[in-house]
Amino acid sequence: MKLNPGQNEAVHYVSGPCLVLAGAGSGKTRVIINKIAYLVEKCGYKARNIAAVTFTNKAAREMKERVAQSMGRKDARGLWISTFHTLGLEIIKREHKVLGLKAGFSLFDDQDTFALLKELTEDELDEDKDLIKSLASAISNWKGGLVIPQQAKNMAKDEQSQLFAMLYQRYAQHMKSYNALDFDDLILIPTLLLRMNEEVRTRWQTKIQYLLVDEYQDTNTSQYELVKLLVGERSRFTVVGDDDQSIYSWRGAKPQNLVLLGTDYPRLKLIKLEQNYRSSQRILRAANILIANNPHVYDKALFSELAYGEPIRILIAANEEQEAERVVAEIIRHKFVGRTKFGDYAILYRGNHQSRLLERALITNRIPYKISGGKSFFSRAEIKDIMGYLRLVVNPDDDNAFLRVVNLPKRGIGPATLERLGHFANQKHISLFEAIFDVELNHHLAPAAVNSLYQFGTFIVDTGEVATRGEPVEAIKQLIRKINYEDYLYETSTSAKAAEMRMKNISELYRWVTEMLEGDELDEPMTLPEVVTRLTLRDMMERNSEDEGGDQVQLMTLHASKGLEYPFVFMVGVEERILPHQSSIDEENVDEERRLAYVGITRAQRELWFVICRERRQFGETIRCEPSRFLLELPQDDLIWENRKPVQTEQQRVETGKSHIANLRDMFKKES
DNA sequence: CAATATCTCCTTTTT
DNA sequence: GGAGATATTG
């Protein structure tokens, strides 16, 4: 396929820093892929000296695959295509000596982090969930903004932030003694390292000679800085982004980085991609009109040369059960009429919990579906159990992992025993695991308890030895067998069927681990510690969802839909307090929700439905729902509201003396 | 003291 | 409708 002039320019401009403003569906991925190929084939770069950073593992995976197809597997080998987090992990891994980190560090996911914070702040925060959560996000913000604990303390003005800064410091100390890192560390640590250590900086600047960054509007301060440090003086890079698709500011993303880049690099070349190849003109028009309500830094005029297309429909359901049924019925009808595939349909929603009823409706109608993101594979108890074991084997100082698995299956080690063990370990400033082997433990615990603990500890050590001896696959096999995990599942599950399901999940995990340990044509073999950290980044899960690509209706959150496209898209729950979400209305941050709606709309290629309810059950009470303000902002002549004359004429407007929008609101109220 | 049964809270988005 | 804390039993 030929590139249009803008795309062409973006691909061939390689002499300096380059910013590509790429509207939705304007072929930005194609630009990146072509550019990588161009750099290797025409500019003399070696694959191993080019890095491309994407926002999700899935996107990285896809890009790797597409690049490999376009330039041949051999040439593509060695390219660094990953997320920021995986790149950071790689840097940490290779520089762990300089950093003074032990090789087998644990990667804490946010649940681990939460558990640790809860533990550490019992006295100060009194187990208050909301407080702990805001502490967690404060810490995450600090880390994302490159603020270390000492600086946080210095900057703290009020009492609350002083307390939080102090707890941040305590958290950091404990993470260190657990030999653990959290997600934010994966960016923070490499950035600080590159900033302070010239030798390391030079090494990485030599290694990565050209850097490409996708979804640039989602970078936060530390990622911005990391990019800057990696590209150095040469500043050979291309970043691609779209401020209208910035939907992650709640976790520190700074779309202003798009502007900042212009001041930091005066020679920055700005290229706009404005032709949309994805959506019908009508869908694009709706999206453009909606997003025009937001402020803009760079003006952008997206256009499409595709057909004008079908009207956008708004389905109105009495309640949330009906909402799900309506969607499913419409898919069945539409598929029958249009002879389409289930895989052509996507259902998008604001929050993960909204998927439940949809799932149920799909199941009862025997429609195959795939639900991505959300309550993932990795939050299943059985997976967390086995991962807990693996983490402990790799890094015995990981107290979180220890606590998860020490009495699983039951080994007669109850809370009382653990309480004492914890107290003892705390006094001696050692990990729980080390405490087991301390001779003085006898003075604090009954012999039976000490013995159970000792047995457990020895078991972990033994497994670790098998793994390091070069037989990690064998070690995992033994592990699952020796803890009688299968029996445990059958005993604890409510039905044999459920146990079977869980065991299947375990086999799946086992398969992935084995694959990663052994490597394949695109990926090098990994060590067990690497596998464990990579799985925590949910790397494998997303890879898997691809080859499972049967003919299935796709369900996902609006956030998860970014970067994807589907011929037919349903957006459900497009109501006030859901699609602008209540909290964003309270915080007066509706613009970001509008961008979220914009992202959803621009996923659609051919047809688009919005679905709303008149009322919905929210924990016991039924509450009335109002259509989202975004629906009222759309061009009404492109919409068909169900059971209703679509458009108010100019005459009606004059007669009633009310605005278009007020009238629509009235109509909705009368009917419900 | 450990294992199981009941009751409560809360539900934005994710690397 | 699910996880986590509390009440009850073995």
Side-chain angles (χ1 to χ4, degrees):
Chain A
M1 215 197 209
K2 247 182 67 195
L3 297 170
N4 69 30
Q7 293 174 333
N8 210 46
E9 191 182 12
V11 167
H12 297 115
Y13 185 82
V14 294
S15 52
C18 178
L19 164 62
V20 181
L21 283 176
S26 62
K28 68 187 166 75
T29 309
R30 232 171 83 212
V31 166
I32 294 177
I33 287 164
N34 278 281
K35 189 149 192 170
I36 292 173
Y38 178 71
L39 287 165
V40 173
E41 288 162 2
K42 299 276 157 56
C43 306
Y45 283 89
K46 293 201 178 67
R48 44 177 300 122
N49 293 326
I50 298 175
V53 178
T54 61
F55 192 63
T56 64
N57 287 305
K58 185 177 182 177
R61 194 84 221 159
E62 249 167 44
M63 190 172 288
K64 223 170 176 175
E65 189 51 44
R66 282 178 63 181
V67 171
Q69 266 171 23
S70 111
M71 59 190 271
R73 269 167 211 278
K74 229 185 273 163
D75 291 342
R77 215 186 156 113
L79 281 171
W80 297 68
I81 303 183
S82 69
T83 61
F84 267 112
H85 294 267
T86 309
L87 177 64
L89 179 63
E90 198 65 31
I91 296 176
I92 292 171
K93 207 183 79 198
R94 297 195 182 203
E95 306 290 348
H96 74 267
K97 282 203 194 104
V98 188
L99 289 162
L101 266 167
K102 283 183 249 170
F105 52 82
S106 290
L107 186 55
F108 274 26
D109 65 20
D110 35 358
Q111 286 179 50
D112 298 315
T113 299
F114 185 84
L116 176 58
L117 283 174
K118 191 171 158 194
E119 174 102 23
L120 292 181
T121 61
E122 269 173 342
D123 299 333
E124 289 84 358
L125 303 186
D126 203 30
E127 307 226 321
D128 181 328
K129 264 191 187 165
D130 292 337
L131 260 182
I132 301 172
K133 270 193 189 143
S134 50
L135 172 62
S137 79
I139 292 176
S140 181
N141 284 336
W142 273 319
K143 290 192 174 188
L146 295 173
V147 179
I148 58 174
Q150 193 54 53
Q151 293 171 305
K153 279 168 109 174
N154 296 342
M155 280 162 29
K157 293 205 175 75
D158 54 303
E159 217 164 298
Q160 162 106 344
S161 27
Q162 266 168 15
L163 176 63
F164 274 20
M166 189 267 283
L167 295 172
Y168 173 26
Q169 185 163 44
R170 189 186 293 174
Y171 169 74
Q173 281 161 359
H174 278 261
M175 289 294 280
K176 195 163 172 109
S177 62
Y178 289 173
N179 200 23
L181 304 178
D182 62 26
F183 282 168
D184 298 312
D185 287 331
L186 296 181
I187 315 292
L188 175 70
I189 290 175
T191 307
L192 295 180
L193 176 66
L194 289 177
R195 185 190 272 177
M196 288 182 306
N197 187 322
E198 198 188 335
E199 188 195 322
V200 175
R201 187 166 65 238
T202 313
R203 178 154 62 237
W204 283 90
Q205 287 179 356
T206 317
K207 195 179 278 294
I208 297 173
Q209 292 171 14
Y210 201 100
L211 182 65
L212 301 98
V213 184
D214 195 8
E215 306 284 12
Y216 191 74
Q217 74 283 355
D218 290 327
T219 54
N220 62 23
T221 302
S222 60
Q223 290 165 336
Y224 182 86
E225 189 66 19
L226 183 57
V227 168
K228 216 168 144 181
L229 288 163
L230 281 173
V231 299
E233 289 291 308
R234 285 165 50 93
S235 50
R236 298 277 168 86
F237 67 83
T238 298
V239 303
V240 185
D242 178 6
D243 51 337
D244 286 332
Q245 293 185 70
S246 159
I247 52 176
Y248 285 100
S249 69
W250 50 273
R251 67 170 214 216
K254 296 251 184 315
Q256 309 89 291
N257 283 348
L258 287 168
V259 185
L260 194 56
L261 209 59
T263 41
D264 272 359
Y265 300 92
R267 291 170 48 223
L268 185 73
K269 175 87 176 170
L270 177 71
I271 296 166
K272 290 184 193 178
L273 303 182
E274 294 179 305
Q275 179 166 5
N276 172 298
Y277 294 93
R278 177 187 294 153
S279 307
S280 73
Q281 286 196 34
R282 193 195 299 266
I283 288 168
L284 200 63
R285 171 165 185 251
N288 281 338
I289 288 175
L290 177 72
I291 206 65
N293 292 292
N294 271 11
H296 285 87
V297 196
Y298 298 103
D299 279 328
K300 205 163 15 82
L302 264 187
F303 66 96
S304 168
E305 287 178 354
L306 302 177
Y308 199 75
E310 294 293 309
I312 297 165
R313 288 173 193 279
I314 297 174
L315 307 182
I316 303 168
N319 55 48
E320 56 200 319
E321 275 94 10
Q322 278 199 24
E323 175 184 48
E325 281 157 24
R326 286 297 316 274
V327 171
V328 172
E330 183 67 6
I331 289 177
I332 293 172
R333 185 197 68 80
H334 191 266
K335 178 175 184 286
F336 182 77
V337 174
R339 296 167 184 273
T340 53
K341 297 182 303 181
F342 284 125
D344 294 336
Y345 299 85
I347 308 175
L348 310 181
Y349 36 80
R350 176 68 233 257
N352 283 304
H353 61 279
Q354 291 175 271
S355 68
R356 259 197 6 255
L357 290 167
L358 290 163
E359 270 190 273
R360 195 156 74 190
L362 288 160
I363 289 169
T364 53
N365 287 285
R366 291 178 218 291
I367 294 179
Y369 68 93
K370 172 96 205 320
I371 180 161
S372 56
K375 47 143 188 67
S376 71
F377 190 79
F378 285 89
S379 59
R380 289 169 194 276
E382 63 273 21
I383 301 301
K384 292 223 114 182
D385 292 344
I386 299 301
M387 288 295 290
Y389 269 104
L390 295 181
R391 273 168 57 178
L392 192 59
V393 167
V394 165
N395 173 23
D397 292 336
D398 188 337
D399 282 1
N400 266 358
F402 181 96
L403 289 171
R404 171 149 201 125
V405 300
V406 65
N407 200 29
L408 188 149
K410 304 273 181 287
R411 293 188 179 89
I413 302 171
T417 309
L418 290 174
E419 178 71 30
R420 282 183 209 151
L421 180 70
H423 193 69
F424 174 70
N426 239 331
Q427 272 182 347
K428 297 207 80 174
H429 296 290
I430 54 178
S431 66
L432 295 172
F433 191 82
E434 281 177 289
I436 291 180
F437 298 99
D438 197 296
V439 280
E440 286 173 37
L441 187 62
N442 285 316
H443 309 313
H444 301 81
L445 277 173
V450 174
N451 188 47
S452 314
L453 285 169
Y454 185 78
Q455 296 272 316
F456 173 71
T458 321
F459 169 63
I460 296 297
V461 171
D462 289 348
T463 313
E465 270 168 17
V466 180
T468 29
R469 218 183 295 132
E471 276 298 331
V473 178
E474 185 54 32
I476 294 164
K477 207 186 219 165
Q478 273 184 28
L479 175 89
I480 297 175
R481 188 160 35 90
K482 282 205 182 140
I483 61 175
N484 278 324
Y485 199 72
E486 189 155 12
D487 292 350
Y488 167 80
L489 284 183
Y490 278 91
E491 278 160 30
T492 53
S493 301
T494 43
S495 69
K497 198 109 189 172
E500 256 171 62
M501 275 280 285
R502 295 174 149 199
M503 204 54 213
K504 250 180 76 186
N505 286 333
I506 295 296
S507 321
E508 185 80 344
L509 178 69
Y510 177 77
R511 220 194 69 217
W512 292 357
V513 172
T514 313
E515 257 176 47
M516 290 168 86
L517 285 167
E518 289 169 354
D520 63 21
E521 44 172 4
L522 245 106
D523 295 298
E524 304 289 325
M526 297 182 194
T527 64
L528 188 59
E530 287 176 71
V531 168
V532 175
T533 46
R534 288 294 272 267
L535 283 174
T536 310
L537 277 174
R538 290 154 171 71
D539 204 351
M540 203 60 181
M541 188 185 77
E542 282 153 341
R543 159 211 278 248
N544 209 59
S545 57
E546 274 168 52
D547 22 339
E548 227 181 298
D551 183 25
Q552 309 170 98
V553 174
Q554 303 293 311
L555 277 75
M556 69 196 85
T557 62
L558 287 161
H559 282 89
S561 76
K562 192 163 67 147
L564 305 174
E565 57 183 15
Y566 299 93
F568 311 109
V569 169
F570 290 82
M571 279 172 68
V572 301
V574 191
E575 296 150 26
E576 288 290 302
R577 359 168 128 220
I578 298 185
L579 193 40
H581 192 270
Q582 183 63 53
S583 48
S584 61
I585 297 174
D586 297 340
E587 292 159 32
E588 301 189 348
N589 189 22
V590 174
D591 286 353
E592 177 139 321
E593 300 283 306
R594 190 175 284 108
R595 289 193 289 269
L596 199 50
Y598 176 79
V599 166
I601 293 170
T602 51
R603 298 310 94 196
Q605 297 170 316
R606 294 171 55 188
E607 284 181 60
L608 175 64
W609 290 259
F610 295 104
V611 193
I612 57 180
C613 295
R614 292 222 160 78
E615 54 185 36
R616 133 186 338 264
R617 296 191 84 75
Q618 195 174 65
F619 135 89
E621 303 317 280
T622 35
I623 53 159
R624 301 192 89 33
C625 307
E626 257 187 277
S628 167
R629 65 191 73 181
F630 302 146
L631 291 180
L632 309 179
E633 290 172 7
L634 292 172
Q636 297 300 317
D637 47 336
D638 287 319
L639 303 182
I640 296 181
W641 292 71
E642 184 167 56
N643 297 333
R644 188 181 294 167
K645 285 275 175 291
V647 196
Q648 177 203 33
T649 62
E650 182 60 20
Q651 207 177 13
Q652 282 170 318
R653 199 187 65 75
V654 174
E655 276 167 18
T656 56
K658 281 185 181 171
S659 76
H660 200 116
I661 286 172
N663 260 310
L664 282 166
R665 233 179 233 135
D666 285 352
M667 278 159 98
F668 188 83
K669 283 204 181 114
K670 248 174 246 155
E671 281 176 32
S672 56

